[in-house]
Amino acid sequence: MNFLQLLFGLQILNLFQVSSSPLSRGSIVGGQDAQDGEWPWMARLRTNGVYSSCGGSLISSRWILTAAHCLENTSVVKVSLGALQLVKTPEYQGSAKRIITHENYTQFTGGFDIGLVELEDKVSFSQRISPVNLPSCSENISPGLQCWATGWGNIRENVSLEYPYTLQEVQIPIVDNQQCNQMYNCIIRPDMMCAGFYWGGKDTCQGDSGGPLVFKKGDDWVQAGIVSFGRGCAEPNSPGVYTRVSSFRDWIQTKSGV
């Protein structure tokens, strides 16, 4: 590793320390309770790794899309689908058959924060369980586009979601990458995207990394991003940072066939 890579890695780690939970985002600040069956692709992942609870999205009857950091140093992934409140038994519970993280992902270089989980058992679709659409490689996701993020984690930094742990949702706009890069001291890569408000107030937070950021296109919902990292939760000039799914459309197809 050369000096510039080390410096960049230290900058990344420092940013994660400010977040108080390195790469553990995806829960909701300034949001509201979701409705039953409103986000039928929303998955909850439980692992034996550093990030014991993460979010994810169902993209086919056998595959879950999530963040690479959620799958680091883990050999066990349990997946729940069709859940609204965590106190209730989800419609589907299963285990991972295969875990795939992007070959270029490391915390020291940033980017490539994407992973896939193949389920042991095929999922049966229902009103509460169905896959989200993936964007094309050339999908135009422009600044200002209104998106929705969902998750079960903290409602403020270091403040947990309260019983009965109802899935939260929040609407946030896409932020221009160049402007986001200025706020984050030049660590935002082209395969990343930012979403939130310059004045803060609404954001993803600690507790559910890997969750989806989606937008409505006609009658369909399309996944724009994967919750990756951020600086605090809903702070001014600190929008959430997401993996740009369109940048990895070919990779997803190659690894999963989806």
Side-chain angles (χ1 to χ4, degrees):
M1 181 182 296
N2 63 35
F3 175 75
L4 288 177
Q5 287 176 313
L6 177 61
L7 183 63
F8 186 75
L10 290 173
Q11 189 176 19
I12 287 277
L13 289 176
N14 182 62
L15 173 63
F16 294 160
Q17 288 165 358
V18 172
S19 300
S20 43
S21 185
L23 278 168
S24 184
R25 312 198 83 215
S27 315
I28 303 303
V29 178
Q32 61 196 24
D33 289 354
Q35 300 301 307
D36 192 23
E38 187 177 8
W39 310 107
W41 47 82
M42 186 67 201
R44 183 175 183 239
L45 278 57
R46 288 166 294 131
T47 79
N48 63 348
V50 175
Y51 305 101
S52 58
S53 180
C54 272
S57 55
L58 183 70
I59 60 171
S60 78
S61 61
R62 289 205 95 109
W63 288 94
I64 301 291
L65 183 65
T66 188
H69 74 264
C70 288
L71 305 175
E72 277 191 299
N73 303 316
T74 185
S75 58
V76 177
V77 178
K78 301 290 187 181
V79 177
S80 300
L81 293 162
L84 177 65
Q85 298 175 331
L86 297 184
V87 296
K88 298 180 179 180
T89 302
E91 187 169 322
Y92 170 91
Q93 296 182 87
S95 301
K97 175 183 178 182
R98 186 160 46 130
I99 299 168
I100 302 173
T101 57
H102 198 286
E103 50 276 12
N104 293 331
Y105 169 76
T106 69
Q107 283 195 20
F108 278 98
T109 58
F112 304 100
D113 191 13
I114 186 169
L116 289 162
V117 174
E118 183 181 11
L119 299 172
E120 282 187 344
D121 302 312
K122 200 171 182 179
V123 176
S124 296
F125 299 155
S126 68
Q127 185 178 354
R128 294 186 179 92
I129 301 176
S130 63
V132 68
N133 295 287
L134 295 176
S136 67
C137 296
S138 59
E139 191 76 46
N140 181 26
I141 301 173
S142 56
L145 178 68
Q146 292 295 321
C147 296
W148 287 87
T150 45
W152 281 284
N154 291 5
I155 54 174
R156 291 192 302 280
E157 190 166 2
N158 300 318
V159 178
S160 299
L161 181 65
E162 296 179 353
Y163 184 92
Y165 315 115
T166 303
L167 180 67
Q168 298 293 293
E169 62 183 24
V170 68
Q171 188 176 35
I172 45 178
I174 297 296
V175 175
D176 179 74
N177 258 36
Q178 188 173 9
Q179 294 177 343
C180 191
N181 220 351
Q182 293 173 355
M183 290 183 272
Y184 275 100
N185 298 318
C186 300
I187 65 169
I188 306 302
R189 299 162 44 98
D191 63 3
M192 302 173 181
M193 63 195 313
C194 301
F197 295 96
Y198 296 106
W199 54 87
K202 295 185 178 185
D203 195 6
T204 51
C205 194
Q206 297 100 0
D208 233 350
S209 296
L213 180 74
V214 301
F215 67 96
K216 194 75 177 287
K217 184 178 181 181
D219 294 329
D220 297 323
W221 285 96
V222 180
Q223 184 168 352
I226 302 168
V227 180
S228 185
F229 68 89
R231 182 169 52 208
C233 298
E235 295 181 3
N237 299 313
S238 302
V241 182
Y242 300 78
T243 302
R244 186 182 294 270
V245 177
S246 60
S247 296
F248 298 97
R249 188 64 191 90
D250 289 341
W251 182 86
I252 294 169
Q253 201 282 326
T254 298
K255 298 297 183 180
S256 69
V258 178

